[in-house]
Amino acid sequence: MHSEKWLLFLFENTIKATVVLLAAYALSLAWRRASAASRHLVWTLAILCLPALPILSPLLPAWRIAPRLPAAQTQARPEVAPFHAAKPRGETIQLRSASLPPTAATAARWDFWALPVWAAGALVALTRLLIGAARVRWMRHRGERIDAFDGLIAEVSEQIGLRRGVCVLESTRVSMPMTWGVWRPLLLLPAEARHWSPERLRLVLSHELVHVKRQDCLTQLFTQVGCALYWFHSLVWLAAGRLRKERERACDDAVLRLGIKGSQYAEHLLDLVRSLQANERWSAAVAMAQPADLETRLVALLNPNLNRQALTRRSALAAALAAACLILPLAAVRAQAPGATGKISGTVYDASGAAIPAATVTALNLDTKGQEITSSNDAGEFTFAAIPRGRYILEVGNKGFAVQRKDVVLAADADVRLAMTLEIGSVTETVDVIGKSPRISPPSPGGIPRRIRVGGNVQATRLVSSVKPPYPEWLQAQGTQGPVVLRAIIAMDGGLAALSVVNTPPDPELARAAMEAVQQWRYQPTLLNGQPVEVVTTITVNFRLQP
């Protein structure tokens, strides 16, 4: 079960990574005439999104998608509890599905091996990073610090706006300038660097210090982590190559903006590549000259018409915001394995049996801690389609109603249908209207409204002003008497809404007199969790005659 969930998680993040990388390829192609720094930013953001996807996915609300199986592969449909068989609150409803076919057992064994295979591939991919980091650290301890270049380094740093200190070491173990380190930058130079011409030395130091300013070592670290997580995905490795290519071209453009001629730069770059040793083509550090894409770099250096503009801070911020707008909704998408989902549906009623529209229905998965939220429609019906199998707590609530909960165990391909009845914090008022008997006409004292306790965890409403209904004299003379039962909603402002007669009154005039008076009543609203809510009230007006 756990391996299946993990495999589904890996599958959905692979699909998301594919979407991100395809978007980056499309944008890079659209920006082919833009500067290399702009295209490098696109690939950097795409690479940063790769490890962010599995981190953000469990933290964001789920938007689930569920592929459907063909009819021939669907499991046998389980028995479903009838719609009218509503169980008491708190009782667990459990549905059992048919046994899995032999192909499902085979898939389960394959799922078991998926995690070890992925872990082995990720470990192999990380080995390159670990060995390269260990090799650079070893060379750092055996390198010799060069103080003769401090003046030139300070001059170049001021030109490019670098405010960080850089440690420069000379090592006989390297033949290519390279940069390493995020917090404490390190610049490794070959032993023959002391004999370089001033022009080559300035060019090399400028290129490597631009790497330091741009934090390219940090970008490369995230790239290698992304390649390790998605080692099986060819687009990730292609994206890593494109990022490396645009990174070097962006640094080349930064050096050319310092006033160095492209032809001189190309000549020195070609000589440096010729001196590259084979064992240095596999390193965790950022090397200045690599054989890969050398021809493209040389052509770009000799092309005076290329866009070599630097990336502004405003453009970088705008691109980061655009990437966030893409990655956040994408990370919230969840995939469901075929046959691993079920359906929960039902109808919400009030105590009188009427459907309740716009009720909030929440399904909390106790296994994954995921949460699904929906609302009932105008007919009071709600549906959770294709949600993961497992144990759920179903919560239904609405304004003026106590929240109802029900435990549900959802099996694969099951269809659970429920009837949820909400308890209302209702109020009952009784008013006695005393009239004169046809034979005796003494005045009668008025009745006093009486408040009934509100059920549920609701702070009861309070009647603050009332108008006593009049007793029509001609009905008294006829001896007409009896109750008029009214139902209304106490609104959040304390007034009455939807006032109606729910019984058959002794006479329509008694109903009219009762409604006209009760319509003027005012209440202190009912409070649900400290907030005013609407509640249903039943008011009984008793028209009685006394001798």
Side-chain angles (χ1 to χ4, degrees), residues 477-499:
Q478 291 181 358
T480 303
Q481 61 180 348
V484 176
V485 182
L486 305 176
R487 176 165 293 179
I489 297 176
I490 301 177
M492 290 187 289
D493 61 358
L496 292 178
L499 182 63

Side-chain angles (χ1 to χ4, degrees), residues 448-465:
I448 301 176
R450 183 166 56 89
R451 219 165 10 99
I452 305 300
R453 182 177 65 86
V454 177
N457 298 321
V458 179
Q459 184 176 338
T461 186
R462 182 169 62 87
L463 183 62
V464 295
S465 66

Side-chain angles (χ1 to χ4, degrees), residues 62 116 148-149 283 295 340 467 507 530:
F149 299 158
S283 173
E295 181 179 355
V467 176
D507 191 279

Side-chain angles (χ1 to χ4, degrees), residues 75-78 95-98 100 339-342 389-390 410-415:
Q75 300 176 10
R77 189 179 185 86
L95 299 175
R96 301 184 181 276
S97 60
L100 293 176
T341 62
R389 64 190 178 190
L410 182 64
D413 294 329
D415 188 350

Side-chain angles (χ1 to χ4, degrees), residues 267-487:
E267 180 181 355
H268 289 296
L269 182 61
L270 185 59
D271 291 340
L272 289 172
V273 171
R274 289 171 179 170
S275 65
L276 179 63
Q277 298 178 6
N279 61 350
E280 292 179 12
R281 298 179 184 180
W282 189 42
S283 173
V286 178
M288 174 182 176
Q290 294 285 357
D293 303 318
L294 177 62
E295 181 179 355
T296 304
R297 290 180 64 187
L298 294 177
V299 172
L301 288 173
L302 299 175
N303 188 351
N305 298 322
L306 286 183
N307 184 351
R308 307 186 190 278
Q309 293 181 355
L311 189 67
T312 63
R313 184 171 300 179
R314 180 178 299 180
S315 301
L317 180 60
L321 291 176
C325 292
L326 171 65
I327 191 66
L328 291 178
L330 189 61
V333 175
R334 304 286 195 280
Q336 295 297 335
T341 62
K343 177 182 177 182
I344 299 177
S345 60
T347 307
V348 184
Y349 298 97
D350 63 13
S352 66
I356 301 178
T360 301
V361 186
T362 303
L364 176 63
N365 192 316
L366 298 178
D367 299 324
T368 64
K369 306 304 179 184
Q371 183 172 282
E372 309 282 344
I373 300 177
T374 188
S375 299
S376 58
N377 58 18
D378 293 339
E381 299 174 345
F382 66 89
T383 301
F384 292 104
I387 61 175
R389 64 190 178 190
R391 299 176 298 123
Y392 285 88
I393 293 181
L394 202 67
E395 294 186 354
V396 183
N398 197 26
K399 291 183 179 180
F401 298 89
V403 175
Q404 300 294 313
R405 293 179 176 86
K406 184 167 293 187
D407 296 335
V408 178
V409 176
L410 182 64
D413 294 329
D415 188 350
V416 180
R417 187 160 179 81
L418 308 170
M420 303 292 292
T421 301
L422 299 187
E423 298 176 359
I424 310 171
S426 60
V427 178
T428 301
E429 301 284 350
T430 302
V431 180
D432 289 332
V433 181
I434 309 299
K436 298 179 180 179
S437 173
R439 298 181 297 273
I440 304 173
S441 57
S444 60
I448 301 176
R450 183 166 56 89
R451 219 165 10 99
I452 305 300
R453 182 177 65 86
V454 177
N457 298 321
V458 179
Q459 184 176 338
T461 186
R462 182 169 62 87
L463 183 62
V464 295
S465 66
S466 62
V467 176
K468 181 181 176 181
Y471 203 141
E473 294 182 359
W474 64 279
L475 292 177
Q476 298 180 42
Q478 291 181 358
T480 303
Q481 61 180 348
V484 176
V485 182
L486 305 176
R487 176 165 293 179

Side-chain angles (χ1 to χ4, degrees), residues 47-107:
I47 290 294
L48 292 178
C49 288
L50 299 183
L53 284 171
I55 297 175
L56 294 176
S57 184
L59 303 178
L60 296 175
W63 294 353
R64 298 199 177 273
I65 55 174
R68 295 188 177 273
L69 286 174
Q73 298 180 8
T74 304
Q75 300 176 10
R77 189 179 185 86
E79 296 183 358
V80 181
F83 170 72
H84 62 274
K87 296 187 176 292
R89 183 174 57 182
E91 182 174 348
T92 300
I93 298 176
Q94 185 166 0
L95 299 175
R96 301 184 181 276
S97 60
S99 59
L100 293 176
T103 54
T106 304

Side-chain angles (χ1 to χ4, degrees), residues 459 526-532:
Q459 184 176 338
T526 298
L527 298 181
L528 176 61
N529 298 327
Q531 299 295 326

